Amino acid sequence: MDPISPLEQALHAARALVLADLVAGEVAEADVVSLVEDSVVQRRWWIEQWPEGADYVAGLVAQDVQDALLERYGRWPLCPVCGSGDPHSLDVEPELGPDPHWVCHKAGVKVAAVGSLGTATGGMASS
Ligand SMILES: [Zn+2]
């Protein structure tokens, strides 16, 4: 028997949350998904060194993917709240903490939990 460790569970959850947000933004192309995989590999090493950080992994993977996308493709995720002005991306808060959210610093609002961008952008709102 080799039960899945809490660390692996945290990594699985982080991967699923960030992928859900990529799907919501319709940017979940194969090469983008590989950016998520790269981040998960790096963060697996990181939480093996510091298991207490398991709750922080979702926010960190989201930021890793955001940074990688900015280098290759551009800003993600674009703010769905501000209707006018320059397009801008959302930021993860807390940068290092549990229960990460996407926030718009321009409007000063929490837009959605990481993993729930789909509901914030008017897609598949739950009934
Ligand atoms: Zn905004």
Side-chain angles (χ1 to χ4, degrees):
M1 294 291 283
D2 189 16
I4 298 175
S5 72
L7 298 188
E8 282 303 319
Q9 286 177 17
L11 288 164
H12 273 280
R15 181 179 179 281
L17 289 172
V18 175
L19 282 176
D21 285 347
L22 290 166
V23 168
E26 299 181 349
V27 290
E29 308 289 336
D31 50 348
V32 174
V33 172
S34 77
L35 297 176
V36 180
E37 306 294 352
D38 289 349
S39 171
V40 168
V41 168
Q42 289 175 21
R43 295 303 173 180
R44 174 177 291 118
W45 179 87
W46 183 82
I47 62 171
E48 281 168 0
Q49 316 306 308
W50 191 48
E52 292 80 5
D55 286 345
Y56 307 170
V57 163
L60 290 168
V61 171
Q63 290 170 85
D64 287 345
V65 171
Q66 186 173 37
D67 289 347
L69 281 172
L70 185 60
E71 283 175 23
R72 299 185 195 197
Y73 299 100
R75 287 181 291 250
W76 175 85
L78 288 177
C79 177
V81 175
C82 304
S84 58
D86 292 334
H88 50 275
S89 58
L90 302 174
D91 295 310
V92 174
E93 270 191 3
E95 288 183 24
L96 185 62
D99 192 22
H101 282 72
W102 294 110
V103 300
C104 170
H105 281 137
K106 206 166 180 180
V109 296
K110 260 188 191 179
V111 175
V114 169
S116 299
L117 267 186
T119 56
T121 50
M124 307 284 285
S126 55
S127 55

